[in-house]
Structure formats: structure tokens, C-alpha cells
């Protein structure tokens, strides 16, 4: 069924589609619609740091230089091996930024106008870390672009920015992910977007946090062939959720616009979502092309939506 849905603040639909029973006075650390936000790894200290004390990594086309501790360079590969703050600037062509930190602690990548491309793997790859925070410095644009085929996917890389650990994005700058192989930004663990302007184009999914996708406030634009915003942990019923507090979202997806394996909650924000080519297009029975979809409860509160879907505008299993 093709459907176009336009609705605004505090519109209540049938419980068969979603529920609107969030108490605005609740502490967001409590459980809401089956989501226990306290289970997440986010902490206020993640966003507290002194930039002047960071190790400086300067990207110089086909190589890089390091001033400080915790990072090394081999050819066009920069490897960060310890928790700490790292300020990156410059351009790296057919290179890679790798985070491989075994010790406990937060790795902060302070992106200060960075362009990294790689034709055969993820240009930004978090192999191991307790936490990684991407800091988008004010007034900067930071771009990561991969190629159409990967030579090595043993570690599961499939995105222009790919993390096997908890990943957070913070700051007032811009992050651009151009995923020509599969996804734009992918986290095998949980993913938090604290703030920033994020633009993603991707052959498959746009932004994916497998365990959860938590967005506090951001300006997000996604144009992708798969799902736009996604969390898809299928093995733990306490995970696989999408929780959005505020922001502006413009999503054009070949499949579902916003998809959660379990619960999906929005608190505020403006959403323009087109899925499966929009309401005028007929899709095959094998393709899911809902604008907003969740396997569990859906709660939409204090938000405005413009949804155009090849299938349902809002769908809860």
C-alpha cells in the first residue's frame, strides 16, 4: 500500500501503529517504551577535553606526520593505539585512519578539516577501543569516502566510517560520509550522535548503530539505497532501538526511512522521509519500504513529519 503522511505536533494515531504515552517529565536515564537508556555507554565526560593537549596528526596527501604520543604512521595508514585526544587536519588520499586501542579509555578524534579517501576499504576504521568520539570542530567540513569494492572485509568493514566499538559524534562542524561500497556510517556496537551536521550518501544503509542509535540533536541528511537510519540487533531484546530527542532529518531511502529492530522513540524534531521512491511508486513484495518502522512500540511525541512511502508511512510489527 502506497501512503503519504503529513502530520504535526502531538498527532495521535491508532495504537496498532504506535503509542504516544511518554511522560515528558521522566528522567531520560529511565526506561521509555522498553528502552533503557542507562544501558548505553555514553557519559558526560566523553565530551570534556582540552584540545591544546592533543596529539597532532597532519595528513599530507599520501602520508602523515605525528606530533605527540599514541599514534604512528606507515605509508598512508595512521594507527592510533592508545586512548587520548588526537587532532587531525589535512588530506589523505587512498589512505586509512585506524583506531586500535586495547586499553580502557576514550579515543577522541578531533576532526579539524579532514578529507580521507580509500578505494579498497574503510577510510576510517575503528578496530578496537572502549569508546571513540568524533569531534567536529566548529566551521570545519570533514569527509570520508570509500570505493565501490573492498579488497579486505575480514573485519567486517562495509562503510566509509566503520566502527567495531561504541561510536559517538559531537561538535558544531560537518561530517560527510560517502559510502560507495555499502553503508555510510556503521557501528557494530552502539552509536550516539550528540550534535553536528551530518550528510551521508550510501549504496546501502545510511547510518547504522547495530546495538542502538541514539540522537540527541543534529542536522542529518541521508540519501541511500537501503535503510536511512537503522538499528538492527536481533539477538538482544533490550537493544536494537532508535531514540531521537531532537534535530532536523531529511532522509531519502531506497528501503525503510527509519528502522528499529525493537522500539523507536522520537521526542522532538522535524522529519522529511521518503522511502522506496515515495508514495507514487509500487515496490515488490520482497522490499520493505516503510517511512518509519519498528519491530516493537513506536512513540512519536512533539514532532512534525512529512512522510512519503512506497509502503506504510508508519508501521509497527
Amino acid at each position: 500500500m502506497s501512503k503519504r503522511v503529513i502530520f504535526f505536533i502531538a498527532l495521535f494515531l491508532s495504537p496498532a501503529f504506535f503509542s504516544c504515552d511518554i511522560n515528558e517529565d521522566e528522567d531520560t536515564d529511565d526506561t521509555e517504551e522498553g528502552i533503557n537508556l542507562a544501558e548505553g555507554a555514553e557519559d558526560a565526560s566523553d565530551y570534556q577535553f582540552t584540545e591544546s593537549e592533543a596529539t597532532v596528526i597532519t595528513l599530507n596527501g599520501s602520508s602523515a606526520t605525528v606530533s605527540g604520543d599514541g599514534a604512528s604512521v606507515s605509508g598512508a595508514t595512521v594507527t592510533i593505539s592508545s586512548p587520548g585526544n588526537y587532532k587531525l587536519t589535512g588530506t589523505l588520499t587512498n589512505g586509512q585512519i585506524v583506531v586500535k586501542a586495547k586499553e580502557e579509555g576514550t579515543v577522541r578524534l578531533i576532526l579539524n578539516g579532514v578529507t580521507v579517501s580509500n578505494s579498497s576499504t574503510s577510510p576510517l576504521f575503528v578496530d578496537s577501543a572502549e569508546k571513540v568520539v568524533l569531534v567536529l570542530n566548529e566551521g570545519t567540513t570533514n569527509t570520508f569516502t570509500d570505493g565501490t569494492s573492498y579488497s579486505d572485509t575480514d573485519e567486517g568493514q562495509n562503510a566509509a566510517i566503520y566502527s567495531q566499538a561504541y561510536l559517538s559524534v559531537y561538535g558544531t562542524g560537518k561530517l560527510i560520509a560517502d559510502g560507495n561500497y555499502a553503508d555510510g556510517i556503521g557501528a557494530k556496537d552502539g552509536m550516539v550522535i550528540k550534535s553536528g551536521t551530518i550528510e551521508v550518501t550510501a549504496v546501502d544503509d545510511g547510518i547504522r548503530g547495530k546495538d542502538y542509535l541514539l540522537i540527541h540533536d543534529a542536522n542529518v541528511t541521508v540519501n541511500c539505497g537501503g535503510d536511512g537510519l537503522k538499528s538492527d540487533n536481533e539477538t538482544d531484546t533490550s537493544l536494537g532501538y532508535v531514540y531521537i530527542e531532537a534535530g532536523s532529518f531529511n532522509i531519502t531511502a531506497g528501503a525503510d526511512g527509519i528502522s528499529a529492530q525493537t522500539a523507536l522513540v522520537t521526542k522532538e524534531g522535524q522529519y522529511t522521509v521518503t522511502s522506496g521512491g515515495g508514495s507514487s511508486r509500487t515496490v515488490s513484495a520482497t522490499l520493505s519500504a516503510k517511512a518509519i518502522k519498528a519491530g516493537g512500540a513506536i512513540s512519536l511525541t512533539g514532532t512534525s513529519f512529512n512522510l512519503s512511502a512506497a509502503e506504510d508511512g508508519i508501521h509497527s510489527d
Side-chain angles (χ1 to χ4, degrees), residues 103-236:
E103 302 171 34
E104 292 185 359
T106 300
V107 175
R108 294 181 190 82
L109 303 184
I110 304 167
L111 304 180
N112 192 53
V114 168
T115 300
V116 183
S117 63
N118 195 303
S119 62
S120 59
T121 192
S122 301
L124 175 52
F125 172 43
V126 178
D127 179 271
S128 57
E130 181 183 7
K131 296 182 181 182
V132 173
V133 179
L134 305 183
V135 180
L136 312 178
N137 266 2
E138 182 178 2
T140 68
T141 297
N142 305 280
T143 304
F144 296 87
T145 304
D146 65 4
T148 57
S149 62
Y150 278 23
S151 61
D152 183 4
T153 57
D154 289 344
E155 299 294 339
Q157 300 103 302
N158 69 345
I161 298 173
Y162 181 78
S163 177
Q164 297 192 133
Y166 168 95
L167 181 69
S168 178
V169 179
Y170 164 75
T172 57
K174 179 185 291 187
L175 178 65
I176 298 175
D178 188 1
N180 296 292
Y181 174 69
D183 297 350
I185 304 174
K188 193 175 179 181
D189 200 323
M191 182 174 176
V192 174
I193 299 176
K194 176 72 171 175
S195 56
T197 297
I198 301 175
E199 298 179 0
V200 174
T201 58
V203 172
D204 194 12
D205 300 331
I207 301 175
R208 173 180 176 258
K210 181 179 179 180
D211 285 353
Y212 54 86
L213 178 59
L214 167 60
I215 302 176
H216 291 290
D217 190 7
N219 296 316
V220 178
T221 301
V222 174
N223 193 322
C224 66
D227 298 330
L229 306 180
K230 180 177 186 176
S231 182
D232 60 348
N233 187 310
E234 300 178 357
T235 61
D236 188 336

Side-chain angles (χ1 to χ4, degrees), residues 237-261:
T237 56
S238 70
L239 300 174
Y241 62 82
V242 175
Y243 186 100
I244 302 174
E245 291 184 340
S248 175
F249 302 87
N250 192 327
I251 300 168
T252 302
D256 298 320
I258 305 176
S259 175
Q261 183 68 28

Side-chain angles (χ1 to χ4, degrees), residues 26-27 189 241 273:
E26 289 186 31
D27 187 332
D189 200 323
Y241 62 82
V273 182

Side-chain angles (χ1 to χ4, degrees), residues 7 11 27 34 40 47 65 81 85 88 91 117 133 144 148 185 274 291 299:
F7 64 98
L11 177 62
D27 187 332
Y47 312 110
T65 59
S81 54
N85 302 324
L88 293 87
T91 298
S117 63
V133 179
F144 296 87
T148 57
I185 304 174
T274 301
S299 179

